[in-house]
Amino acid sequence: MKKIVALLLVVLMSLTCFAMAETAPVKMDKLTLEFVPSKDADVIITGTKNLPELLQAALLEQGYDVGEIDITVGTSYEATGEAMAAGAIDVGWLPGGTYAVYSKDHEVSVILTATRDGLSNDSTNPADWNGIANKTLPVPENQVGFYRSLIYATPSPYGKVLAEKVNNGEALTWEDLDKASWAVLKTSSSAGYIYPTIWLMDNYGKKITDLTTVATLSGYGEAFAQAAAESVDVIVCYADGRRDYEEAWKLPVTETAKNNITGFGRTGEIWDEVNVIGVTGGIYNDTVSITTAKPEINNPQFIEALQNALINVINTEEGHEIFSVYSHTGYVKAVDSDYDFARKALEYVQ
């Protein structure tokens, strides 16, 4: 009898150890995250400073014990894509256009698509967006899976000429636009290049590369800074861009807005001074993507854990505040085919 009891104890202890081993979290030394510079780098870093701690806790609930989570901001959209393709960055927040570039050869893989608040304005008539009375506001109860890019006339002397024509109901000609100095983002930016190019092609049969004077900028903060300085006539940005820079627009250059953007020193309202002169079609929302270069990242178990963890984080009050830096209000699981149109749009532009 004693031998049987002892044997049963051994078996029970073995099963307990086995069960503990089965439920022990998978240890990871480090996870690297990178955001593209669609906002100023310091704004993103400040806004996401609590994300590592939240994500570590959320991943632990999913069975992954991550020792360190590092967050950086790429110097350009392409820099983030290249770093992910090389396996130097594990997880990246890529716009649809950038994802289209780096998913072509399966160097990155989408795992989530962002949702965002709908806007109070979705008119395709540019004049409907202009003036303080038409201020663009978020509509949280209307969650959408797309956004638009807008072509804006700045308060420069010639920018005002373009804005006046549009607000008077006059159609702009190619010659009108070609006389202007433009500022755009690099070619993989959906709102900053791809869809404004499609807008030009649809309306004028021309591309951004056909314009006489074009400057390529690193981010939207630089675009609004140049608009405020009246150094360019036309900028392009996502549809709620003016809302992000509204407070800073009228602040002295020595002060900083609540969202950590340095003041632009203007006196008028941004809704009156920066006028919409063109509205693009809908752009599928930003991605959360992973590198395919590292097996410990690109595997079904970790992908599911990361998907669930980020969805759980953004659904908390603190997480919602963190991802508001990108206007993301939620995440849904995504597959590569969701971005087939983004790849077609990229081919169209090229």
Side-chain angles (χ1 to χ4, degrees):
M1 179 63 70
K2 290 181 179 179
K3 289 182 179 180
I4 293 173
V5 171
L7 181 61
L8 288 173
L9 285 173
V10 170
V11 171
L12 181 60
M13 290 175 65
S14 298
L15 288 173
T16 301
C17 291
F18 179 75
M20 291 175 64
E22 282 289 293
T23 57
V26 177
K27 289 189 176 295
M28 295 180 66
D29 292 335
K30 187 175 183 179
L31 188 66
T32 55
L33 316 180
E34 187 159 291
F35 293 89
V36 297
S38 56
K39 302 283 180 71
D40 293 338
D42 55 348
V43 172
I44 296 172
I45 292 297
T46 300
T48 60
K49 64 182 180 180
N50 295 331
L51 179 57
E53 183 180 352
L54 290 178
L55 186 55
Q56 280 174 315
L59 280 169
L60 189 58
E61 291 178 356
Q62 299 296 320
Y64 283 83
D65 183 3
V66 183
E68 178 185 355
I69 294 180
D70 183 47
I71 296 178
T72 54
V73 179
T75 55
S76 68
Y77 291 28
E78 290 79 7
T80 299
E82 292 290 346
M84 292 183 67
I89 294 295
D90 300 324
V91 184
W93 274 254
L94 301 178
T98 310
Y99 177 75
V101 173
Y102 291 95
S103 62
K104 185 177 180 181
D105 295 321
H106 309 290
E107 295 169 309
V108 300
S109 179
V110 65
I111 63 168
L112 294 171
T113 292
T115 61
R116 61 178 67 213
D117 292 342
L119 299 178
S120 57
N121 196 340
D122 194 42
S123 174
T124 55
N125 177 11
D128 292 343
W129 295 79
N130 297 329
I132 190 69
N134 295 319
K135 178 178 176 178
T136 305
L137 298 172
V139 184
E141 62 272 20
N142 180 27
Q143 291 296 295
V144 296
F146 74 96
Y147 63 106
R148 296 183 188 276
S149 175
L150 301 180
I151 292 85
Y152 300 89
T154 76
S156 71
Y158 189 63
K160 289 178 181 177
V161 171
L162 296 174
E164 185 177 5
K165 288 192 71 172
V166 167
N167 290 331
N168 287 336
E170 298 178 50
L172 296 176
T173 66
W174 169 254
E175 289 69 25
D176 290 332
L177 296 173
D178 193 38
K179 288 178 186 176
S181 59
W182 286 60
V184 301
L185 271 60
K186 291 188 178 180
T187 56
S188 69
S189 171
S190 297
Y193 191 93
I194 295 172
Y195 282 77
T197 293
I198 292 174
W199 178 80
L200 285 173
M201 293 183 72
D202 286 345
N203 288 280
Y204 304 98
K206 303 283 188 177
K207 299 180 181 181
I208 285 175
T209 51
D210 294 318
L211 291 163
T212 300
T213 307
V214 182
T216 302
L217 309 180
S218 61
Y220 295 115
E222 188 180 356
F224 278 93
Q226 293 212 17
E230 301 181 17
S231 56
V232 295
D233 304 315
V234 176
I235 63 171
V236 294
C237 184
Y238 48 87
D240 51 343
R242 288 176 297 179
R243 186 159 58 93
D244 288 340
Y245 296 93
E246 179 180 15
E247 182 189 0
W249 189 255
K250 292 178 65 177
L251 282 180
V253 295
T254 55
E255 296 183 20
T256 302
K258 293 176 183 177
N259 57 3
N260 209 36
I261 297 173
T262 301
F264 293 123
R266 301 292 301 186
T267 56
E269 296 290 342
I270 195 170
W271 310 99
D272 296 324
E273 291 204 288
V274 180
N275 282 260
V276 178
I277 58 172
V279 182
T280 77
I283 307 169
Y284 210 76
N285 273 349
D286 296 344
T287 77
V288 179
S289 298
I290 60 166
T291 180
T292 60
K294 299 168 72 172
E296 65 271 27
I297 302 298
N298 186 32
N299 67 77
Q301 292 76 26
F302 180 71
I303 288 171
E304 183 177 10
L306 184 58
Q307 287 172 323
N308 292 338
L310 284 169
I311 289 171
N312 290 341
V313 166
I314 201 171
N315 285 335
T316 66
E317 184 176 346
E318 188 173 4
H320 192 274
E321 178 65 24
I322 286 170
F323 289 110
S324 67
V325 71
Y326 267 173
S327 301
H328 295 176
T329 55
Y331 290 118
V332 293
K333 294 182 179 181
V335 294
D336 180 73
S337 59
D338 290 341
Y339 289 86
D340 284 347
F341 183 76
R343 278 185 283 270
K344 289 180 181 177
L346 186 64
E347 290 173 6
Y348 184 41
V349 170
Q350 292 173 337

